[in-house]
Amino acid sequence: MKVLIQSPLEPDFVQDPYALYARVLAEDPVQYWEDYGMMAVFDAATVHALLRDRRLGRAVPEDQRTPVPDHLHRFDAVERHSMLDLEPPTHTRLRGLVLRAFTSRRVKALAPDIDEICTDLLNGFPDAPFDLIPAFCTALPVRVIARLLGVPEEMSDQLLQWSNTMVAMYQANCTHQTEVAADQAAAEFSAFLASYIEKRRADPRDDLITHLIAAEEDGEKLSHPEMIGTCILLLNAGHEATVHTLGNAVKALLEHETPALAPDAIAATVEEALRFDPPLHMFTRYAYEDLEVGGYRLEKGKQVALMLGAAGRDPARFNAPDLFDPFRDPAPHAAFGGGLHFCVGAPLARLELQMGLQRLFAHAPHLKLVEKPTYSNTYHFHGLTRLQVTV
């Protein structure tokens, strides 16, 4: 197996990881990434297959579990109830209960809220150049999530701060200071939700927290810690992905001058944006038994990195993969994952992205970049730190 040496902290790589992906795909799409100490899979066919392979999973194998450091106990109290890191049967029960509350009807019912929030944000755009990331790309998803959960919308900034601090744990440049801050944020976020959940028990409303309280399957309900973990996951994962995709999509549309935003084209445009420049580039899983991957042996207990960002640029699946083309023939991408861990919030993300892009470009048809956009140094997340534009 070829050995890949590439620091995930190198600025040039963070700004353009696709050059490396193209080289690896041309050599051997399965390589040992020395910087991560694990096998990494880059081609679309194998990534999609492994996402659905039940011999792999997110839960840490029993014999690899270690004591939680004292400074991360409160963070761990949230994470141990996250669907993202659980496997059946616990994952099956949790996901089933969440889907009973997070229905397609409920997602569609958020369309007027998304439209109203867009109007408010767009009306606040200045005439002078400004950064679209905080002004629109960040503000829209966090306010939508606040309305979905039923928490006060004026708390959006606080929710965002907690979310950003916790999500920093999954970035390549995580430090001890990052961990301490994430633990504190988890404690504060959990305390707020615990109090708010009790309010909704006493005063039910038409919001997701109320529906999560009511959700029941085969006589089972979400426990209090599971409800807190689920709400935090929905905010952290859903918000993070939508912010990055919205910013990356605007960048792609402006740089390629491809305004495919008509009602009959917008869905394809969003899917192309997710393929072309997805928000998450790496998704790791554990092998629960020995298996063969691309002609190589992956031993039980080892981790493998599924390179979602590279899979979307695989020339074996996509013609001219480095071209942003909303009119290309559709082919499945991996931006929302797959299998048991397919993103539960994908329908809401798609609705936000479609409506947000349409409203943005209808309001500012002459939107232009005023400087080269830059990505945050946060691999394996991939999103812009700044998107300076003028209307």
Short mmCIF file of all heavy atoms in Angstrom, two decimals, residues 1 31-40 282 284-285 302-305:
data_model
loop_
_atom_site.label_atom_id
_atom_site.label_comp_id
_atom_site.label_asym_id
_atom_site.label_seq_id
_atom_site.Cartn_x
_atom_site.Cartn_y
_atom_site.Cartn_z
N MET A 1 0.85 -1.19 0.00
CA MET A 1 0.00 0.00 0.00
C MET A 1 0.88 1.24 0.00
O MET A 1 1.82 1.35 0.79
CB MET A 1 -0.91 -0.01 1.24
CG MET A 1 -1.93 1.11 1.26
SD MET A 1 -2.90 1.18 2.80
CE MET A 1 -3.47 -0.50 2.95
N GLN A 31 -4.77 4.41 0.11
CA GLN A 31 -3.41 4.63 0.58
C GLN A 31 -3.41 4.74 2.10
O GLN A 31 -4.44 5.00 2.72
CB GLN A 31 -2.81 5.90 -0.05
CG GLN A 31 -2.74 5.84 -1.57
CD GLN A 31 -1.89 6.94 -2.18
OE1 GLN A 31 -1.11 7.61 -1.50
NE2 GLN A 31 -2.03 7.12 -3.49
N TYR A 32 -2.22 4.55 2.68
CA TYR A 32 -2.06 4.70 4.14
C TYR A 32 -1.64 6.14 4.41
O TYR A 32 -0.55 6.57 4.03
CB TYR A 32 -1.00 3.74 4.67
CG TYR A 32 -0.81 3.84 6.17
CD1 TYR A 32 -1.69 3.19 7.04
CD2 TYR A 32 0.23 4.59 6.72
CE1 TYR A 32 -1.53 3.28 8.41
CE2 TYR A 32 0.40 4.69 8.09
CZ TYR A 32 -0.49 4.04 8.93
OH TYR A 32 -0.33 4.14 10.30
N TRP A 33 -2.54 6.91 5.06
CA TRP A 33 -2.26 8.33 5.33
C TRP A 33 -1.48 8.39 6.64
O TRP A 33 -2.05 8.27 7.72
CB TRP A 33 -3.56 9.10 5.42
CG TRP A 33 -3.36 10.60 5.30
CD1 TRP A 33 -2.23 11.31 5.55
CD2 TRP A 33 -4.35 11.56 4.89
NE1 TRP A 33 -2.42 12.65 5.33
CE2 TRP A 33 -3.71 12.83 4.92
CE3 TRP A 33 -5.68 11.47 4.51
CZ2 TRP A 33 -4.39 14.01 4.59
CZ3 TRP A 33 -6.35 12.64 4.18
CH2 TRP A 33 -5.72 13.89 4.22
N GLU A 34 -0.20 8.60 6.51
CA GLU A 34 0.70 8.52 7.66
C GLU A 34 0.36 9.57 8.73
O GLU A 34 0.46 9.30 9.93
CB GLU A 34 2.15 8.68 7.21
CG GLU A 34 3.17 8.44 8.31
CD GLU A 34 4.59 8.37 7.79
OE1 GLU A 34 4.99 7.29 7.32
OE2 GLU A 34 5.28 9.40 7.82
N ASP A 35 -0.02 10.76 8.32
CA ASP A 35 -0.31 11.84 9.27
C ASP A 35 -1.48 11.48 10.18
O ASP A 35 -1.56 11.96 11.31
CB ASP A 35 -0.60 13.14 8.53
CG ASP A 35 0.54 13.56 7.62
OD1 ASP A 35 0.66 12.99 6.52
OD2 ASP A 35 1.34 14.42 8.02
N TYR A 36 -2.40 10.67 9.69
CA TYR A 36 -3.55 10.23 10.49
C TYR A 36 -3.35 8.83 11.06
O TYR A 36 -4.12 8.40 11.93
CB TYR A 36 -4.83 10.26 9.65
CG TYR A 36 -5.43 11.64 9.49
CD1 TYR A 36 -5.24 12.36 8.32
CD2 TYR A 36 -6.17 12.23 10.51
CE1 TYR A 36 -5.78 13.63 8.16
CE2 TYR A 36 -6.72 13.49 10.37
CZ TYR A 36 -6.52 14.19 9.19
OH TYR A 36 -7.05 15.45 9.05
N GLY A 37 -2.38 8.10 10.53
CA GLY A 37 -2.13 6.75 11.02
C GLY A 37 -3.22 5.77 10.68
O GLY A 37 -3.53 4.87 11.47
N MET A 38 -3.80 5.90 9.48
CA MET A 38 -4.86 4.98 9.08
C MET A 38 -4.98 4.91 7.56
O MET A 38 -4.48 5.78 6.84
CB MET A 38 -6.21 5.40 9.67
CG MET A 38 -6.78 6.70 9.14
SD MET A 38 -8.37 7.15 9.89
CE MET A 38 -7.85 7.67 11.53
N MET A 39 -5.61 3.85 7.11
CA MET A 39 -5.94 3.71 5.69
C MET A 39 -6.93 4.80 5.30
O MET A 39 -7.83 5.14 6.07
CB MET A 39 -6.55 2.33 5.44
CG MET A 39 -7.00 2.08 4.01
SD MET A 39 -7.95 0.54 3.84
CE MET A 39 -6.68 -0.69 4.07
N ALA A 40 -6.76 5.35 4.08
CA ALA A 40 -7.69 6.36 3.57
C ALA A 40 -8.15 5.93 2.18
O ALA A 40 -7.35 5.48 1.36
CB ALA A 40 -7.01 7.72 3.50
N MET A 282 -13.77 14.28 5.39
CA MET A 282 -13.31 13.00 5.92
C MET A 282 -14.30 12.47 6.95
O MET A 282 -14.77 13.21 7.81
CB MET A 282 -11.93 13.14 6.57
CG MET A 282 -11.41 11.87 7.22
SD MET A 282 -9.93 12.13 8.23
CE MET A 282 -8.71 12.39 6.97
N THR A 284 -14.50 9.04 9.40
CA THR A 284 -13.77 7.83 9.81
C THR A 284 -14.71 6.77 10.39
O THR A 284 -15.74 7.08 10.98
CB THR A 284 -12.70 8.17 10.86
OG1 THR A 284 -13.33 8.76 12.01
CG2 THR A 284 -11.66 9.12 10.29
N ARG A 285 -14.31 5.50 10.19
CA ARG A 285 -15.08 4.38 10.72
C ARG A 285 -14.12 3.30 11.21
O ARG A 285 -12.97 3.25 10.77
CB ARG A 285 -16.01 3.80 9.65
CG ARG A 285 -16.94 4.83 9.00
CD ARG A 285 -17.97 4.17 8.11
NE ARG A 285 -19.08 3.64 8.90
CZ ARG A 285 -19.98 2.77 8.43
NH1 ARG A 285 -19.87 2.32 7.21
NH2 ARG A 285 -20.95 2.35 9.19
N LYS A 302 -9.08 -1.51 13.36
CA LYS A 302 -8.41 -0.37 12.74
C LYS A 302 -9.45 0.62 12.20
O LYS A 302 -10.56 0.26 11.85
CB LYS A 302 -7.52 -0.83 11.58
CG LYS A 302 -6.37 -1.75 12.01
CD LYS A 302 -5.34 -1.01 12.84
CE LYS A 302 -4.12 -1.89 13.10
NZ LYS A 302 -3.12 -1.20 13.96
N GLN A 303 -9.02 1.88 12.12
CA GLN A 303 -9.87 2.90 11.52
C GLN A 303 -9.54 3.08 10.04
O GLN A 303 -8.41 2.84 9.61
CB GLN A 303 -9.69 4.24 12.23
CG GLN A 303 -10.45 4.38 13.53
CD GLN A 303 -10.36 5.77 14.09
OE1 GLN A 303 -9.32 6.19 14.58
NE2 GLN A 303 -11.45 6.51 14.01
N VAL A 304 -10.54 3.51 9.29
CA VAL A 304 -10.35 3.85 7.88
C VAL A 304 -11.01 5.20 7.64
O VAL A 304 -12.08 5.49 8.19
CB VAL A 304 -10.96 2.77 6.96
CG1 VAL A 304 -12.45 2.58 7.22
CG2 VAL A 304 -10.72 3.11 5.49
N ALA A 305 -10.34 6.05 6.86
CA ALA A 305 -10.86 7.37 6.54
C ALA A 305 -11.55 7.32 5.19
O ALA A 305 -10.93 6.97 4.18
CB ALA A 305 -9.73 8.40 6.52
#
